[in-house]
Amino acid sequence: MNLTGTPFLVVTVVVFAASIALAMAQWLGRGPVLGRARTADGRRTPLRALSYLGTVLLCQFTAVAMVFVIVNDENQLYDNWGDLLGTASHVRSVPVPPKDEGLAGDRGPSGSGAPKVPQAFHAPDSDAVPKNVKQADLKGRLSGVDGEVLVWTPPQYDDPAYKDKTFPVVELLAGFPGSSSAWFGDAMEATKQLEPLMKSGQVTPFILVAPRVTILDSNIDTGCADVPGKVNADTWFSRDVPQMIVDNFRADTTSDRWAVSGYSAGAHCALRLALLHPNRFRAAISMSGYNDPAGEPKSLTAKDPKMRESANPLHILTHAATPPNVALYVTGRRGDGLEDATALQQAAKSPTTVTPFETTGAHLTSTWKPLVVPTFRWLTGIIPPR
């Protein structure tokens, strides 16, 4: 059973209620207890006391479990037990990625134009995800990463009037910890908010793609980087996932029609990916992100000083051979991303553009969820319909 969605929540509520009922029955003398009630001299027996203590602890445990599930449902941090316990690695191998030939050039061992690879799609594993979202269980050919990828197509996609049209794409990255379902479920409700605006023409009809972000076991954040011998996270996000979309959907294949958006650690990744790969992404949206990878204490890229520097979006921007042609929309409050946004804006040189936006909310999805519509309105100005 998944950790998100109504079924598991109902189970925890029922178990909590049952533990309270058990405690009440014990105290009323009608529930199961261990040992005789009192010794010959009138004192409670140790087993009887332990029985009551055990029931109290059970009530506390079930209460904490229920609150965890409610918080997890609200923010969609963990989809399954493997992610929660840090026991599931999604790294099959760590090959050396071939030369980057651009968005439509990764088919075949060296971009040789091999046939497309059709992907099987099925209903989402998570109960929190709407049924109009498809899931693929992708085996990354270049990255060696295996994981789910959730895909939603806009209303126009299946309209006969658009049967010969291709569509722009936005990759959606959750924070750490975080699940691919967060953008589509109650945490962010991206499709619920954007679908009517796409229908009315107020927002560009984007294909929305949310890949798995938790890749390593032991609850380590990849920082969306390729780390030799450890993980090819960058290649997973920037090459394997986009190629799967291009191979299986009527997706645009030019970099000026692709963007990436994320919150928290996913926001750091969005900036990093767009600045490193302007040949793949035209724009990035960062919600409460950070430049220094150490903004996430469990980030793999923060462990090594050289990697920590090279993975910093500000360092990438200021050390680019030529200013990348990317547009960045960077939100944050004071002490939580705003200063990093200002630093990027001050360092940017044409054609790079940086639009800071100050927020006041906490570092929670309740702050980022209301930003979905305004950020996509901004993105529509960068990648308009056609």
Side-chain angles (χ1 to χ4, degrees), residues 223-241:
C224 295
D226 282 0
V227 181
K230 295 285 188 180
V231 64
N232 285 330
D234 184 309
T235 301
W236 165 251
F237 294 115
S238 67
R239 301 183 69 172
D240 280 332
V241 171

Side-chain angles (χ1 to χ4, degrees), residues 3-256:
L3 297 181
T4 55
T6 303
F8 191 63
L9 175 60
V10 170
V11 169
T12 58
V13 171
V14 169
V15 171
F16 171 66
S19 68
I20 295 296
L22 175 62
M24 294 295 294
Q26 277 191 340
W27 288 106
L28 293 174
R30 298 173 182 174
V33 293
L34 298 176
R36 293 181 294 112
R38 298 187 181 277
T39 61
D41 57 3
R43 292 178 299 171
R44 287 187 182 273
T45 63
L47 282 178
R48 184 84 170 193
L50 285 174
S51 181
Y52 285 117
L53 176 61
T55 304
V56 170
L57 292 176
L58 176 63
C59 290
Q60 292 179 331
F61 174 79
T62 55
V64 170
M66 182 179 67
V67 171
F68 164 78
V69 172
I70 292 172
V71 172
N72 190 53
D73 269 4
E74 184 174 333
N75 295 280
Q76 289 170 288
L77 304 173
Y78 304 99
D79 264 341
N80 53 60
W81 291 103
D83 287 344
L84 174 63
L85 300 176
T87 58
S89 173
H90 293 264
V91 177
R92 171 176 24 91
S93 61
V94 192
V96 177
K99 181 182 178 181
D100 187 350
E101 301 288 351
L103 186 60
D106 281 335
R107 290 194 294 275
S110 59
S112 59
K116 296 180 180 181
V117 179
Q119 185 71 41
F121 290 86
H122 58 83
D125 290 340
S126 173
D127 298 321
V129 178
K131 299 307 178 186
N132 61 352
V133 176
K134 306 177 182 70
Q135 178 175 325
D137 299 316
L138 178 63
K139 292 186 178 295
R141 183 177 58 80
L142 300 179
S143 65
V145 173
D146 299 339
E148 79 278 1
V149 182
L150 301 179
V151 184
W152 178 85
T153 53
Q156 292 88 336
Y157 191 87
D158 294 318
D159 186 336
Y162 290 79
K163 64 183 178 64
D164 297 321
K165 297 286 187 180
T166 58
F167 292 81
V169 182
V170 182
E171 274 195 65
L172 304 173
L173 306 180
F176 179 83
S179 75
S180 55
S181 64
W183 276 94
F184 298 113
D186 292 341
M188 297 293 284
E189 291 188 332
T191 57
K192 182 178 180 180
Q193 296 188 71
L194 295 173
E195 184 171 11
L197 299 178
M198 290 182 184
K199 284 182 178 179
S200 64
Q202 298 178 63
V203 169
T204 298
F206 292 102
I207 296 173
L208 303 182
V209 182
R212 165 169 281 275
V213 295
T214 304
I215 297 172
L216 293 171
D217 56 9
S218 303
N219 284 317
I220 298 297
D221 176 33
T222 65
C224 295
D226 282 0
V227 181
K230 295 285 188 180
V231 64
N232 285 330
D234 184 309
T235 301
W236 165 251
F237 294 115
S238 67
R239 301 183 69 172
D240 280 332
V241 171
Q243 194 59 56
M244 185 273 284
I245 298 301
V246 168
D247 280 354
N248 291 272
F249 295 89
R250 298 196 314 276
D252 289 336
T253 58
T254 57
S255 61
D256 62 351

